[in-house]
Every structure is written in structure tokens, then in C-alpha cells.
Amino acid sequence: MAYDLIDIGANLAHDSFDDDRDAVLERARAAGINRLVITGSSDDSNRGAIELARQTPGLFSTAGVHPHHAKDYTDDSDALIRELVKEPECVAVGECGLDYFRNFSPREAQLDAFRRQLDIAIETQKPVFLHQRDAHDDFVEVLEDALPKVSRAVAHCFTGEHESLREYLAMGLSIGITGWICDERRGKHLYDIVDVVPDDKLMIETDAPYLLPRTLTPKPKTRRNEPVHLTEVLRVVAEARGQTEEHVANITTENAVRFFGLE
Ligand SMILES: [Zn+2]
């Protein structure tokens, strides 16, 4: 039996889905993934994401600029996010945050874009969809100032250690878990600590087309991840938490509905 699931982070506007997006959604729905939040991460993908959400029942979008693109964060980018978050289909600001792993954008630009997007989240009282990699201290510092005024915030694709997980939870963040947890090389620690997340703070996502779960059998022919594999994230999260898949499906779906205000 398929559980009713919500993928809270799918980069479905990505061009790797241009040839078969309908089939991808069809496969997802057949597996119970009836609702998806499409991640906006640049001016282009923000437009693409809302376009898809407008066309297709069950699809929602976010609007934001990923730290990789922070150097391209212009007044126009800011205005576009502000315009899009007024739309009913657009359910969050982001993804936004800090990524010092590759530093595709200078840190100053990342900090500036992050602060500006938090301002939008505060003014509009939309939830915020957060990205952080190798930037924990700055991330917490910027976020702590804003958080009392932000409605809700989720640390999307959480991959950190026990210490930062506890810190995030103490700050009131929700936690998004991807197929990173299915990676026996770099996700083992996540498997071991995911049961620390309280039932009411947990959500699941694929981050498709990235992060194909390594535990899938048989191994798919393509490296491209897609929303149908949310069922594998569900399976591994449930196993790691010592809960049934049904329970994890119920709580993560309820949380996503409440967090994003989905109908
Ligand atoms: Zn991300």
C-alpha cells in the first residue's frame, strides 16, 4: 500500500527533467507522493518552480536564491522573490543560507543574500527553507537574530553532526532529511542520530535530481534522483528511528501540511 507522502524539496524545475517531467510526476504519484514542494534557488528556477506549481495540482513552490548563486542576488532577484511569495502556490522563502563547502559565491555576498531573504520571510511571515553546509557558526549567528521574528524555519537536507542537530532543535528548527541518510560512507552518523528529531519536527525530501539514495535495489540505471525515491528515504528513516513506515509517513506528511500551510 502506498502512503500519502510529501516531498518537501524537489528541484523539479531543473533541466534534467525537461524531457520527461510528466512521467516523473506520474511515477511519484503512483508511489503515493501526491504533493511536492519545488525548490526555487535562482531567478530562473524561481520562475520555473511557480510555473509548474500553477499548472499542476499538488505542486507548490519556494522562491529564493541558493548561497551558490548569492553573487547574482540583485535588487531584481529580491523583488522577484517578494512578488512570488504573494502567490498562493509559493509556500516558502528559500532555499537560502550559507555554503562554505565550495564557496561558489564570496562569503560576504552569501551573508548579504541570506539576510535579505530572512527579511522577506519576516515581513511576509512565510516559512523559510534553509540550506547550510560547512558554515555552521555564521549560519547560527545570522539566524538567531532573525528567528524570533520568523514564522517557521526548516533546515533542509540536514547532514550535520549530533551537536548541530541539538542546537537546531533548540532553536526551534524543523529538520528535512534526504537520501543522504542512505549513504553508508558519509551518512552513517545521520542514520545514528535521526531518532533525536521529535516527531513534530521531522520532514522528508529527495533534493532530486541530486542525492540518489545509495540503498536502492536494484540500482537505477541513471544517477538522476527523482521524487519517486522518497519512499526509500521513508524506509531508511523509519528503520533508523525504530518506527513503522506508516508512522513516519503520517507524521512527516502532517508536519509538511502544517509547516507550509498546504491545502
Ligand atoms: Zn540545498
Side-chain angles (χ1 to χ4, degrees):
M1 193 200 81
Y3 303 111
D4 176 31
L5 300 176
I6 300 176
D7 187 349
I8 68 153
N11 300 277
L12 220 65
H14 193 274
D15 55 17
S16 65
F17 294 114
D18 283 353
D19 291 336
D20 64 345
R21 200 169 275 109
D22 289 343
V24 164
L25 282 169
E26 203 47 51
R27 279 194 287 276
R29 278 194 206 99
I33 299 111
N34 297 309
R35 286 170 287 185
L36 297 93
V37 181
I38 304 169
T39 312
S41 55
S42 64
D43 293 354
D44 278 350
S45 70
N46 288 339
R47 290 192 192 93
I50 195 138
E51 191 70 16
L52 289 167
R54 280 178 184 141
Q55 288 165 6
T56 324
L59 299 194
F60 304 87
S61 65
T62 72
V65 171
H66 190 285
H68 285 344
H69 307 297
K71 62 178 186 311
D72 305 319
Y73 194 97
T74 61
D75 289 344
D76 286 346
S77 312
D78 198 84
L80 178 63
I81 298 170
R82 286 174 184 278
E83 184 189 313
L84 293 179
V85 294
K86 287 183 200 150
E87 304 292 321
E89 295 87 358
C90 183
V91 292
V93 176
E95 64 178 304
C96 61
L98 301 174
D99 192 318
Y100 295 170
F101 179 62
R102 294 216 176 87
N103 282 310
F104 285 143
S105 283
R107 292 183 181 192
E108 273 317 310
Q110 293 193 35
L111 287 161
D112 183 58
F114 186 25
R115 289 199 183 96
R116 291 181 72 177
Q117 291 175 83
L118 287 172
D119 283 345
I120 299 175
I122 290 167
E123 284 169 38
T124 60
Q125 287 299 294
K126 284 272 184 173
V128 58
F129 192 82
L130 298 164
H131 172 105
Q132 189 278 121
R133 195 163 178 201
D134 285 1
H136 179 263
D137 292 352
D138 282 3
F139 179 78
V140 167
E141 194 182 314
V142 173
L143 198 55
E144 268 183 336
D145 282 344
L147 224 41
K149 293 166 275 178
V150 166
S151 65
R152 295 176 295 286
V154 58
H156 125 84
C157 191
F158 179 83
T159 59
E161 302 291 335
H162 199 176
E163 193 52 40
S164 52
L165 180 55
R166 268 203 301 254
E167 204 171 343
Y168 283 6
L169 290 169
M171 291 165 75
L173 302 190
S174 292
I175 305 293
I177 300 288
T178 60
W180 193 281
I181 198 171
C182 307
D183 188 329
E184 79 289 355
R185 304 161 308 174
R186 51 182 194 172
K188 174 75 170 67
H189 70 286
L190 191 56
Y191 187 94
D192 292 337
I193 60 174
V194 72
D195 65 344
V196 171
V197 182
D199 273 8
D200 64 345
K201 292 293 182 190
L202 182 72
M203 292 187 273
I204 53 175
E205 48 177 333
T206 58
D207 207 24
Y210 314 111
L211 301 179
L212 183 72
R214 284 173 57 86
T215 44
L216 283 170
T217 48
K219 289 222 180 304
K221 291 182 199 73
T222 153
R223 296 286 311 148
R224 185 188 71 173
N225 192 12
E226 55 172 87
V228 68
H229 298 315
L230 189 67
T231 56
E232 181 66 4
V233 178
L234 172 76
R235 186 185 72 76
V236 174
V237 167
E239 181 188 279
R241 288 169 66 85
Q243 295 174 324
T244 64
E245 287 183 42
E246 182 179 16
H247 180 75
V248 175
N250 287 342
I251 59 170
T252 54
T253 294
E254 265 172 39
N255 292 341
V257 168
R258 192 176 64 243
F259 183 92
F260 292 105
L262 308 182
E263 294 309 314

